[in-house]
Amino acid sequence: MRAVVLDGVRSVSVTDVADPVLPGDDGVVVQVEQAGICGSDLHLYHGDLGEPGTRLGHEFVGTVLEAGPAVRTVRPGDRVLVSGVIGCGHCPPCLARDPARCRNGGTAVFGTGADLPGGQAEAVAVPAADAWTLVVPEDVTPTQAVLLTDILPTGYLGARRADIVPGSTVAVIGLGPVGVLALECARLFGPARLFAVDQVPDRLARAERLGAETVDASAGPVPEQLMALTGGHGVDAVIEAVGADRTVSDALLSVATGGTVSVVGVSVNMAFPFPLVLALLRGLTFRVTLASIPSTWDTLVPLLATGRLAPDDVVTHRLGLSEAPEAYAMFDAHAEGVLKVVLDPTR
Amino acid sequence: MRAVVLDGVRSVSVTDVADPVLPGDDGVVVQVEQAGICGSDLHLYHGDLGEPGTRLGHEFVGTVLEAGPAVRTVRPGDRVLVSGVIGCGHCPPCLARDPARCRNGGTAVFGTGADLPGGQAEAVAVPAADAWTLVVPEDVTPTQAVLLTDILPTGYLGARRADIVPGSTVAVIGLGPVGVLALECARLFGPARLFAVDQVPDRLARAERLGAETVDASAGPVPEQLMALTGGHGVDAVIEAVGADRTVSDALLSVATGGTVSVVGVSVNMAFPFPLVLALLRGLTFRVTLASIPSTWDTLVPLLATGRLAPDDVVTHRLGLSEAPEAYAMFDAHAEGVLKVVLDPTR
Amino acid sequence: MRAVVLDGVRSVSVTDVADPVLPGDDGVVVQVEQAGICGSDLHLYHGDLGEPGTRLGHEFVGTVLEAGPAVRTVRPGDRVLVSGVIGCGHCPPCLARDPARCRNGGTAVFGTGADLPGGQAEAVAVPAADAWTLVVPEDVTPTQAVLLTDILPTGYLGARRADIVPGSTVAVIGLGPVGVLALECARLFGPARLFAVDQVPDRLARAERLGAETVDASAGPVPEQLMALTGGHGVDAVIEAVGADRTVSDALLSVATGGTVSVVGVSVNMAFPFPLVLALLRGLTFRVTLASIPSTWDTLVPLLATGRLAPDDVVTHRLGLSEAPEAYAMFDAHAEGVLKVVLDPTR
Amino acid sequence: MRAVVLDGVRSVSVTDVADPVLPGDDGVVVQVEQAGICGSDLHLYHGDLGEPGTRLGHEFVGTVLEAGPAVRTVRPGDRVLVSGVIGCGHCPPCLARDPARCRNGGTAVFGTGADLPGGQAEAVAVPAADAWTLVVPEDVTPTQAVLLTDILPTGYLGARRADIVPGSTVAVIGLGPVGVLALECARLFGPARLFAVDQVPDRLARAERLGAETVDASAGPVPEQLMALTGGHGVDAVIEAVGADRTVSDALLSVATGGTVSVVGVSVNMAFPFPLVLALLRGLTFRVTLASIPSTWDTLVPLLATGRLAPDDVVTHRLGLSEAPEAYAMFDAHAEGVLKVVLDPTR
């Protein structure tokens, strides 16, 4: 079958690889129908993480081809979505759908190493399927299904871990796919004001349509703009959705006393220059989140089903699997009008 | 001056009474411009609470006529709103704006007894004004100011104490003024589904415009309807906004396992028949709320100022103070189209 | 094999019954070594619940005799403790160890009906064993293992759901086995004062040894005593561990404004006379708990292992299974010195 | 009168200065009886903060000499303790005893600048006395009163903000006065295991007497030791009570997945090298606390009064005010047996 493989820095190809086999009695093989490209895939694309040869992709939806005899909840023919982050699947935290706390050291992300080949492929092996797959619910669109594999849960948890309460002021820094979903999710917590920060005009325009007040990062230092907009108090809850040193720093400099900075942007920095004295004066809470994707499904599915969340238009581009090189390049360039790109192996 | 006085069962009059005097160094006298009639005033009107001769009303907004020398935050000429519930004003809970927990036994409601004459009058004395008054903020309408004196805070706290989280199912039983505000406030907590229960068609229609799914209580037992709508699971958070035995019972019979019933309807029953065994099986949380009004102002004012809450149309009727007898009768009758009635002593 | 069977009001016998068989691929059969008699068993003994013929007991520890092929976590020969409350074992709440919220309507208690024969027997069938059994941890004593099947988790959850924070005042009403464990668990939340209420002298003496201030219920109305001890303020968190109307009423009349009453006593009353107007004035939170036993094991096992909880002496009597009639009579009589009675089928 | 004045790096003197005058209608002048030296005073002593000429000290207890006419809660002759951290005293957060969130920018610490001379002196002016002073409660010892002005509240809030729940593992890094109080307070939250980290033998011995498991930082890398002690999982809640880069780093490297690092040590570093990628993998919550001292008094006073907290022996040395130079040198040296040093201006 064909799969997207990392060749080197800013280079991917679509390559023939061996078909996946059932990963144990409790696993399934899924025929992929859609596979998102995630902002965190760019860390591999840029050479910051991972090894050449890695089969990429952790956001995929498809149909079960084969299921091990111990699998209870899905059967061949079921359309399923799969958590991008998994664990051993059998320890208490995994059974409670919290793979980030797997007791057996099994926390892993599809498509980041040889042990767990990715889902930007025609098919993929999924271990411990009862824990990590969900039959696509009737009221959820195919696009929403893809978003439920990673970035909608990540955006939601980023918002939830920002300690937003009714009446809060909130800022989302970075309006890429995760940021814009964090923005939608932040509204679930009743903020009085919601600031959206980016420098790309169409991203700011999208945020404005979602009811946010926009802050153009190219117009001057973000902390100064946010302080001015809040009468010098700062923002109660800042969600950082980029992962760059500059944007994490902007978040820390923009928060109000007693406030929270919640980082969902992925950084690989082991020595980010953190302003401890400022954190003291602000009585800061600072959180970084590796999302336990399935823990959010019971919350998000009803919100999607009733239209309280309507994130479909985050996906702006769909290409065939064979167009993966173009898709990565387009996504990496933050081109005008490009937000989320999904690959379709069935084309 | 003139004031609304309780004469007996279902009888009020507008009577000449002595002008109020400054209630101590820390008090103010307020010239009333608007005074709401509250559902809880009907307990006095029906003879369930209070004594004839009581000067009614705990929801009022007006202009400061006179201020004691120890008052810091308001001055003569300021337009202020006043908390309907007060305390001593100087103990730690009162300073933290939580009069329901006054340490000196000072918790009291305007217009329910001789000690604290009500605000359905041309003027009213307000003790400990720094604690219980707020200068009407610039972005808050006069109608919103009246709602901030009691029923918007009460509806908000009823919703907050219902333990709603994103994705919850919520029901509000009783769509009078407090119920409809509780409905609006419930949306701040991100529910997936919001059920609105009443039997008056225009109240149900209003709830539908607010995005709720309506349940007509005249069409059959409410618990059966809510169970059917939730696939037999029941509702995660039920807000009761009537205070009648029937509606509290409906709330208890409609709640899901692990759910919460939050009562903001005022009941004077000392022996409501409570289903303890059902509460056990459901793992129930049951709350009744006497609202510490001022504790909510920092939350609600920004939500009003930015339009996230827009409750003005709850006030459906405005009459002159002299029309108080007609106003009480109309409000008591739950007449078609009547929701909140406000008296205006300046007419 | 032999099992304790309910014959009628205040009558049990030890009867020969068919040996249990494996309850499905995911179940086990356990050879029982210890089986507690619980206060809630007395509802059956008194004829308030259940049917004659019921095989009693939901608190048991033993050794796995046989395990279905789908069982992962225990094997024949393992010494296990079993949750007294179970669910289907496979829905998300059950996998998260929360059987009280089973989505498939499977919430059940061993030994209360024909579907799930009890554990006061030589052997017992346990369905969905991965969800409901725990290999007895190395640092946990056999007595602690029995307590982990129901009453220690119940006491713990009763305390946790009482909203105790450091500095709170706490009262436990009823110092039977669950009450005394709730008392021990309440200390984990940092109360400043801990009141223990009962009328049996040796129960009060035990509470005093645990550091509580004792209140003799036979010396006068409990609410008056607790109000006097707290300067008229009432108690922040009241845990009710009896389930009688009088004690639930005492709890409600003793709570401080803003406080919580947490009921773990089992009542079968469908019309307890609840003082709604008092609840309003107090801003009450009222909770009743059906304990999801296994949800507490990760918390309680380390506390037992390190000696922070040391509840072994709650078990005051051990009798052979054949002595069940005497054991029930003794436990029912609240005889001096009798707290928890355990039956041993191996004698 | 005499006051301790900062002369330069590692140099203080006891100097004659002008007597304090009443700081407004709402202020008092306090005749100081005890004044602690705090670890954060060493930042001034080391030249990292503040200016020569600063009158030092923010931990003091004494008797009211004079009170402005607007003061309600204290009178001349009252023995009072004073919050080391204050605000304007009149905005809503200040009235709720949360000076760290003062809306008027008034957050300040006694003894750190010319605007608010310190309390290591014979007398001191205290503005907004109703907000920042507390009459020493009857059941509180004089030593406890000093501890309530800063380090006991700081230690308590450090523990509370560490998200400890019953059964948690907890580590306190740094067993100086604040650390040892954080250790005592951590026990209020029900941890199963409590690790105490330092390299000074008598500090470790003290922690052992308090029931902690000790970790000798001189015996090897602290994170390695804590990982080994927790089976490789890390510690759920780490409280850092030093403020050095090394110890903050140790805290971050020792925390379990899903855990919290709570910093109460004061750091002046604006660019601490923070491991963002590790924080992501751990799903970290990181908090730094500037303590709103008076917000804790309602919690801590009852715990002291009933002996649940018994921190008196933290004060190991008492010297006369004139011995301040020796006292600072002794405290700075972390000499064997020296924990908390208090100056007494009445000697």
Side-chain angles (χ1 to χ4, degrees), chain C residues 7-36:
Chain C
D7 289 336
V9 175
R10 288 191 165 76
S11 171
V12 301
S13 62
V14 181
T15 305
D16 272 314
V17 299
D19 284 351
V21 295
L22 210 57
D25 272 15
D26 60 350
V28 297
V29 173
V30 172
Q31 181 170 351
V32 178
E33 290 161 10
Q34 298 186 79

Tab-separated table of all heavy atoms in Angstrom, chain C residues 7-36:
chain	number	residue	atom	x	y	z
C	7	ASP	N	-34.333	-15.518	54.851
C	7	ASP	CA	-35.550	-16.326	54.966
C	7	ASP	C	-36.786	-15.456	55.178
C	7	ASP	O	-37.875	-15.798	54.706
C	7	ASP	CB	-35.421	-17.290	56.151
C	7	ASP	CG	-34.417	-18.396	55.864
C	7	ASP	OD1	-34.175	-18.694	54.675
C	7	ASP	OD2	-33.846	-18.931	56.840
C	8	GLY	N	-36.644	-14.407	55.903
C	8	GLY	CA	-37.793	-13.550	56.183
C	8	GLY	C	-37.327	-12.447	57.103
C	8	GLY	O	-36.117	-12.203	57.226
C	9	VAL	N	-38.282	-11.753	57.737
C	9	VAL	CA	-37.906	-10.618	58.563
C	9	VAL	C	-37.085	-11.083	59.769
C	9	VAL	O	-37.510	-11.957	60.524
C	9	VAL	CB	-39.158	-9.846	59.018
C	9	VAL	CG1	-38.779	-8.732	59.984
C	9	VAL	CG2	-39.880	-9.262	57.803
C	10	ARG	N	-35.884	-10.521	59.890
C	10	ARG	CA	-34.938	-10.839	60.956
C	10	ARG	C	-34.609	-12.328	60.997
C	10	ARG	O	-34.398	-12.913	62.053
C	10	ARG	CB	-35.459	-10.360	62.308
C	10	ARG	CG	-35.399	-8.829	62.430
C	10	ARG	CD	-35.660	-8.333	63.830
C	10	ARG	NE	-35.250	-6.938	63.965
C	10	ARG	CZ	-35.927	-5.899	63.481
C	10	ARG	NH1	-37.041	-6.094	62.802
C	10	ARG	NH2	-35.472	-4.678	63.660
C	11	SER	N	-34.550	-12.939	59.817
C	11	SER	CA	-34.218	-14.357	59.760
C	11	SER	C	-33.345	-14.665	58.553
C	11	SER	O	-33.737	-14.427	57.409
C	11	SER	CB	-35.526	-15.179	59.704
C	11	SER	OG	-35.227	-16.532	59.445
C	12	VAL	N	-32.169	-15.191	58.849
C	12	VAL	CA	-31.281	-15.685	57.785
C	12	VAL	C	-30.855	-17.098	58.153
C	12	VAL	O	-30.878	-17.487	59.317
C	12	VAL	CB	-30.007	-14.808	57.621
C	12	VAL	CG1	-30.375	-13.377	57.285
C	12	VAL	CG2	-29.137	-14.869	58.863
C	13	SER	N	-30.468	-17.875	57.130
C	13	SER	CA	-29.947	-19.214	57.412
C	13	SER	C	-28.770	-19.497	56.493
C	13	SER	O	-28.556	-18.797	55.496
C	13	SER	CB	-31.040	-20.264	57.184
C	13	SER	OG	-31.444	-20.231	55.841
C	14	VAL	N	-28.010	-20.489	56.867
C	14	VAL	CA	-26.889	-20.916	56.032
C	14	VAL	C	-27.342	-22.186	55.314
C	14	VAL	O	-27.639	-23.198	55.952
C	14	VAL	CB	-25.626	-21.160	56.866
C	14	VAL	CG1	-24.472	-21.570	55.974
C	14	VAL	CG2	-25.299	-19.911	57.658
C	15	THR	N	-27.433	-22.120	54.006
C	15	THR	CA	-28.143	-23.106	53.209
C	15	THR	C	-27.227	-23.675	52.138
C	15	THR	O	-26.332	-22.975	51.649
C	15	THR	CB	-29.347	-22.412	52.531
C	15	THR	OG1	-30.127	-21.783	53.548
C	15	THR	CG2	-30.207	-23.385	51.757
C	16	ASP	N	-27.490	-24.914	51.751
C	16	ASP	CA	-26.750	-25.478	50.614
C	16	ASP	C	-27.362	-24.992	49.316
C	16	ASP	O	-28.576	-25.086	49.115
C	16	ASP	CB	-26.799	-27.010	50.670
C	16	ASP	CG	-25.667	-27.562	51.517
C	16	ASP	OD1	-24.519	-27.108	51.342
C	16	ASP	OD2	-25.953	-28.403	52.380
C	17	VAL	N	-26.529	-24.470	48.452
C	17	VAL	CA	-26.992	-23.967	47.151
C	17	VAL	C	-26.051	-24.511	46.081
C	17	VAL	O	-24.981	-25.056	46.395
C	17	VAL	CB	-26.989	-22.422	47.112
C	17	VAL	CG1	-27.937	-21.844	48.166
C	17	VAL	CG2	-25.582	-21.879	47.276
C	18	ALA	N	-26.447	-24.349	44.835
C	18	ALA	CA	-25.597	-24.816	43.734
C	18	ALA	C	-24.304	-23.996	43.690
C	18	ALA	O	-24.308	-22.796	43.984
C	18	ALA	CB	-26.352	-24.670	42.411
C	19	ASP	N	-23.228	-24.633	43.294
C	19	ASP	CA	-21.966	-23.903	43.135
C	19	ASP	C	-22.107	-22.872	42.018
C	19	ASP	O	-22.801	-23.091	41.028
C	19	ASP	CB	-20.845	-24.886	42.758
C	19	ASP	CG	-20.391	-25.695	43.961
C	19	ASP	OD1	-20.819	-25.388	45.100
C	19	ASP	OD2	-19.621	-26.645	43.745
C	20	PRO	N	-21.430	-21.743	42.156
C	20	PRO	CA	-21.484	-20.740	41.090
C	20	PRO	C	-20.743	-21.221	39.840
C	20	PRO	O	-19.792	-22.009	39.946
C	20	PRO	CB	-20.771	-19.536	41.703
C	20	PRO	CG	-19.901	-20.085	42.768
C	20	PRO	CD	-20.577	-21.323	43.284
C	21	VAL	N	-21.188	-20.742	38.702
C	21	VAL	CA	-20.480	-21.031	37.450
C	21	VAL	C	-19.966	-19.728	36.856
C	21	VAL	O	-20.435	-18.635	37.185
C	21	VAL	CB	-21.406	-21.741	36.437
C	21	VAL	CG1	-21.815	-23.123	36.970
C	21	VAL	CG2	-22.623	-20.890	36.134
C	22	LEU	N	-19.004	-19.863	35.971
C	22	LEU	CA	-18.349	-18.713	35.357
C	22	LEU	C	-19.396	-17.827	34.653
C	22	LEU	O	-20.116	-18.308	33.772
C	22	LEU	CB	-17.326	-19.237	34.337
C	22	LEU	CG	-16.085	-18.421	34.079
C	22	LEU	CD1	-15.309	-18.171	35.370
C	22	LEU	CD2	-15.189	-19.179	33.108
C	23	PRO	N	-19.505	-16.571	35.031
C	23	PRO	CA	-20.533	-15.706	34.446
C	23	PRO	C	-20.033	-15.039	33.165
C	23	PRO	O	-19.878	-13.819	33.118
C	23	PRO	CB	-20.769	-14.676	35.544
C	23	PRO	CG	-19.437	-14.543	36.206
C	23	PRO	CD	-18.746	-15.879	36.081
C	24	GLY	N	-19.749	-15.843	32.167
C	24	GLY	CA	-19.287	-15.276	30.897
C	24	GLY	C	-17.774	-15.283	30.785
C	24	GLY	O	-17.049	-15.503	31.762
C	25	ASP	N	-17.322	-15.000	29.573
C	25	ASP	CA	-15.889	-15.025	29.249
C	25	ASP	C	-15.060	-14.060	30.073
C	25	ASP	O	-13.853	-14.235	30.211
C	25	ASP	CB	-15.706	-14.607	27.777
C	25	ASP	CG	-15.808	-15.782	26.852
C	25	ASP	OD1	-16.292	-16.852	27.290
C	25	ASP	OD2	-15.407	-15.623	25.686
C	26	ASP	N	-15.698	-13.009	30.525
C	26	ASP	CA	-14.956	-11.954	31.222
C	26	ASP	C	-15.121	-12.053	32.735
C	26	ASP	O	-14.706	-11.153	33.456
C	26	ASP	CB	-15.394	-10.573	30.736
C	26	ASP	CG	-16.874	-10.325	30.981
C	26	ASP	OD1	-17.594	-11.284	31.357
C	26	ASP	OD2	-17.314	-9.177	30.794
C	27	GLY	N	-15.710	-13.138	33.218
C	27	GLY	CA	-15.969	-13.264	34.646
C	27	GLY	C	-15.011	-14.208	35.342
C	27	GLY	O	-14.196	-14.895	34.712
C	28	VAL	N	-15.123	-14.223	36.671
C	28	VAL	CA	-14.350	-15.160	37.487
C	28	VAL	C	-15.267	-15.773	38.547
C	28	VAL	O	-16.336	-15.245	38.844
C	28	VAL	CB	-13.146	-14.486	38.197
C	28	VAL	CG1	-12.141	-13.935	37.179
C	28	VAL	CG2	-13.602	-13.378	39.144
C	29	VAL	N	-14.808	-16.879	39.111
C	29	VAL	CA	-15.415	-17.419	40.324
C	29	VAL	C	-14.397	-17.257	41.442
C	29	VAL	O	-13.217	-17.590	41.266
C	29	VAL	CB	-15.807	-18.896	40.157
C	29	VAL	CG1	-16.288	-19.480	41.487
C	29	VAL	CG2	-16.885	-19.033	39.093
C	30	VAL	N	-14.866	-16.733	42.553
C	30	VAL	CA	-13.983	-16.453	43.691
C	30	VAL	C	-14.373	-17.341	44.873
C	30	VAL	O	-15.558	-17.434	45.226
C	30	VAL	CB	-14.089	-14.967	44.099
C	30	VAL	CG1	-13.334	-14.707	45.402
C	30	VAL	CG2	-13.574	-14.070	42.990
C	31	GLN	N	-13.374	-17.987	45.452
C	31	GLN	CA	-13.580	-18.722	46.700
C	31	GLN	C	-13.437	-17.724	47.845
C	31	GLN	O	-12.374	-17.128	48.035
C	31	GLN	CB	-12.524	-19.822	46.803
C	31	GLN	CG	-12.668	-20.651	48.056
C	31	GLN	CD	-11.764	-21.871	48.012
C	31	GLN	OE1	-11.146	-22.195	46.990
C	31	GLN	NE2	-11.676	-22.573	49.134
C	32	VAL	N	-14.504	-17.561	48.598
C	32	VAL	CA	-14.547	-16.463	49.560
C	32	VAL	C	-13.793	-16.825	50.838
C	32	VAL	O	-13.935	-17.932	51.368
C	32	VAL	CB	-16.015	-16.103	49.886
C	32	VAL	CG1	-16.084	-14.999	50.932
C	32	VAL	CG2	-16.740	-15.695	48.616
C	33	GLU	N	-13.022	-15.862	51.336
C	33	GLU	CA	-12.283	-16.062	52.583
C	33	GLU	C	-12.804	-15.172	53.710
C	33	GLU	O	-12.682	-15.510	54.879
C	33	GLU	CB	-10.792	-15.810	52.334
C	33	GLU	CG	-10.204	-16.926	51.469
C	33	GLU	CD	-8.889	-16.543	50.808
C	33	GLU	OE1	-8.321	-15.500	51.158
C	33	GLU	OE2	-8.452	-17.300	49.909
C	34	GLN	N	-13.347	-14.030	53.332
C	34	GLN	CA	-13.935	-13.133	54.315
C	34	GLN	C	-15.128	-12.450	53.658
C	34	GLN	O	-15.059	-12.087	52.478
C	34	GLN	CB	-12.965	-12.031	54.705
C	34	GLN	CG	-11.700	-12.474	55.350
C	34	GLN	CD	-10.926	-11.235	55.798
C	34	GLN	OE1	-11.218	-10.628	56.821
C	34	GLN	NE2	-9.972	-10.834	54.998
C	35	ALA	N	-16.175	-12.234	54.442
C	35	ALA	CA	-17.350	-11.549	53.901
C	35	ALA	C	-17.968	-10.707	55.013
C	35	ALA	O	-18.418	-11.234	56.033
C	35	ALA	CB	-18.370	-12.556	53.375
C	36	GLY	N	-17.970	-9.385	54.814
C	36	GLY	CA	-18.506	-8.484	55.829
C	36	GLY	C	-20.023	-8.444	55.822
C	36	GLY	O	-20.658	-8.707	54.792
